[in-house]
Amino acid sequence: MITVKQLTKAFGTFTAVNNLSFEVKPGEVLGFLGPNGAGKSTTMKMITGFLAPSAGTVNIDGHDIVKDTIAAQRLIGYLPEGAPSYGEMTVESFLQFIAEVRGFKGEEAKRRIETSIQKVELESVRLQPIETLSKGFKRRVGLAQAVLHDPKILILDEPTDGLDPNQKQHVRELIQNLSKDKIVIISTHILEEVTAVCTRAMIIAQGTKVADGTPAELQAMSRYHNAVSLRFNDAVDTELLSAIEGVAEVLNEGDWLTLIPDNATGLLSRVNQALEASNLHAEEIFVERGRLDDVFRTMTREGTQ
């Protein structure tokens, strides 16, 4: 388990992370969200022991990250922002170096290197110098070193940054497979990442936690939760839709009209009744679960719950 209590980091008069507390349990994939400058990377660096907190504590499976740093770091696989490495090394020699740093030798080191290469699909470039690789392949090298020692905890800062859609999907599947017996924290600004792989999402703004819950719970905080979206072939009088009981607002979103509900339930049935009474036919109609981007914008703009 990771336990973070009242974590704070100040740089002079600027407070990057302010009194942040949360826990992450095995099997959870936590999406750590926030706008640029919100304190995501600073928090990741403190959790992994690369940056000392100004106040507060981080406990990694019983080890204090400040007082027992090496023992805590042995349990962590970390992919930092930018995936730093030694560009003149080949992929294989770099992973060999990482294996030696981690204390693996001989057949054990070879086995772990091969497993990492296979997991993140680096076979085709294993003998190339890292500096010659594309941004996407460099990111995968960073992932390979993070999982090489089969850590209990994976902390990934923008893990799919620079990857094409196919590579993103592969990495997300890898994360889902790894999370079965690990704790995974993903710092990201890609909202689709959260709904694709995370069991929980936390939003921070100005170094402070402003929302924490499952993706579905966060979506339910959106004004789009239980909204009804419709697409018509022909123009429709929006005043007719606005007059439906329970509709707070009608949004014109290109080919779609979205009916934002007030707090009433059962909007879909009333919409269907109104369409039938007016002899209107919608080509497509569905109920929205809520939009994470709407919650993100609202929470990070307001800065507080």
Side-chain angles (χ1 to χ4, degrees), residues 2-30:
I2 297 176
T3 303
V4 175
K5 291 185 178 180
Q6 298 177 321
L7 195 63
T8 298
K9 183 62 181 179
F11 299 94
T13 58
F14 172 69
T15 301
V17 178
N18 185 18
N19 202 34
L20 190 62
S21 297
F22 61 92
E23 290 185 348
V24 194
K25 299 176 182 179
E28 282 191 304
V29 181
L30 173 64

Side-chain angles (χ1 to χ4, degrees), residues 79-135:
L79 175 64
E81 189 176 17
S85 58
Y86 296 100
E88 71 277 8
M89 286 184 172
T90 66
V91 171
E92 187 175 291
S93 62
F94 175 66
L95 293 178
Q96 178 66 46
F97 167 70
I98 296 297
E100 292 174 3
V101 169
R102 290 288 184 183
F104 302 115
K105 298 179 181 179
E107 288 300 314
E108 177 68 6
K110 183 178 179 181
R111 181 182 68 80
R112 289 181 178 272
I113 291 167
E114 291 301 321
T115 299
S116 295
I117 286 174
Q118 294 302 319
K119 277 182 178 178
V120 299
E121 295 186 354
L122 287 169
E123 184 62 42
S124 64
V125 298
R126 66 184 299 156
L127 298 180
Q128 281 186 227
I130 294 173
E131 63 189 2
T132 68
L133 301 179
S134 67
K135 185 177 182 180

Side-chain angles (χ1 to χ4, degrees), residues 15-305:
T15 301
V17 178
N18 185 18
N19 202 34
L20 190 62
S21 297
F22 61 92
E23 290 185 348
V24 194
K25 299 176 182 179
E28 282 191 304
V29 181
L30 173 64
F32 203 55
L33 301 170
N36 291 336
K40 300 190 303 298
S41 292
T42 300
T43 301
M44 299 295 102
K45 290 174 182 177
M46 287 191 285
I47 291 174
T48 54
F50 287 91
L51 191 63
S54 302
T57 61
V58 177
N59 191 284
I60 306 292
D61 202 25
H63 301 282
D64 186 285
I65 195 64
V66 173
K67 298 177 182 177
D68 201 5
T69 306
I70 299 302
Q73 288 179 335
R74 286 195 181 105
L75 303 174
I76 299 172
Y78 180 35
L79 175 64
E81 189 176 17
S85 58
Y86 296 100
E88 71 277 8
M89 286 184 172
T90 66
V91 171
E92 187 175 291
S93 62
F94 175 66
L95 293 178
Q96 178 66 46
F97 167 70
I98 296 297
E100 292 174 3
V101 169
R102 290 288 184 183
F104 302 115
K105 298 179 181 179
E107 288 300 314
E108 177 68 6
K110 183 178 179 181
R111 181 182 68 80
R112 289 181 178 272
I113 291 167
E114 291 301 321
T115 299
S116 295
I117 286 174
Q118 294 302 319
K119 277 182 178 178
V120 299
E121 295 186 354
L122 287 169
E123 184 62 42
S124 64
V125 298
R126 66 184 299 156
L127 298 180
Q128 281 186 227
I130 294 173
E131 63 189 2
T132 68
L133 301 179
S134 67
K135 185 177 182 180
F137 271 119
K138 287 178 180 176
R139 206 67 183 145
R140 283 197 265 175
V141 172
L143 276 170
Q145 66 79 25
V147 302
L148 186 140
H149 59 300
D150 192 24
K152 284 187 176 182
I153 296 163
L154 270 178
I155 297 179
L156 311 175
D157 201 347
E158 305 288 357
T160 61
D161 182 40
L163 305 187
D164 66 34
N166 291 332
Q167 292 168 338
K168 284 182 180 180
Q169 180 61 29
H170 177 79
V171 170
R172 288 168 184 168
E173 290 172 356
L174 171 63
I175 291 169
Q176 287 176 320
N177 290 333
L178 291 171
S179 68
K180 293 173 183 177
D181 59 351
K182 300 183 189 303
I183 291 172
V184 182
I185 299 179
I186 302 172
S187 173
T188 183
H189 66 280
I190 304 173
L191 298 181
E192 68 181 62
E193 204 110 275
V194 175
T195 53
V197 301
C198 296
T199 61
R200 176 180 162 200
M202 186 164 66
I203 301 174
I204 67 169
Q206 299 177 351
T208 302
K209 181 171 66 175
V210 295
D212 188 354
T214 67
E217 288 170 343
L218 263 61
Q219 286 174 323
M221 298 166 66
S222 165
R223 64 175 178 154
Y224 288 89
H225 182 56
N226 289 331
V228 176
S229 288
L230 311 97
R231 185 176 65 82
F232 297 92
N233 279 340
D234 300 315
V236 173
D237 183 2
T238 57
E239 289 187 7
L240 184 151
L241 300 176
S242 299
I244 298 173
E245 181 186 355
V247 174
E249 186 179 2
V250 179
L251 302 180
N252 191 328
E253 301 183 306
D255 293 335
W256 292 86
L257 293 172
T258 299
L259 312 185
I260 302 298
D262 57 22
N263 293 324
T265 58
L267 180 58
L268 178 61
S269 63
R270 291 194 292 276
V271 170
N272 282 326
Q273 290 170 7
L275 293 180
E276 185 176 351
S278 302
N279 199 27
L280 291 173
H281 173 71
E283 290 299 310
E284 295 183 69
I285 182 171
F286 70 92
V287 177
E288 301 251 6
R289 290 181 294 181
R291 300 184 187 180
L292 195 56
D293 60 339
D294 178 60
V295 177
F296 181 86
R297 285 194 300 270
T298 300
M299 289 294 181
T300 56
R301 183 173 59 246
E302 294 174 355
T304 58
Q305 285 180 296

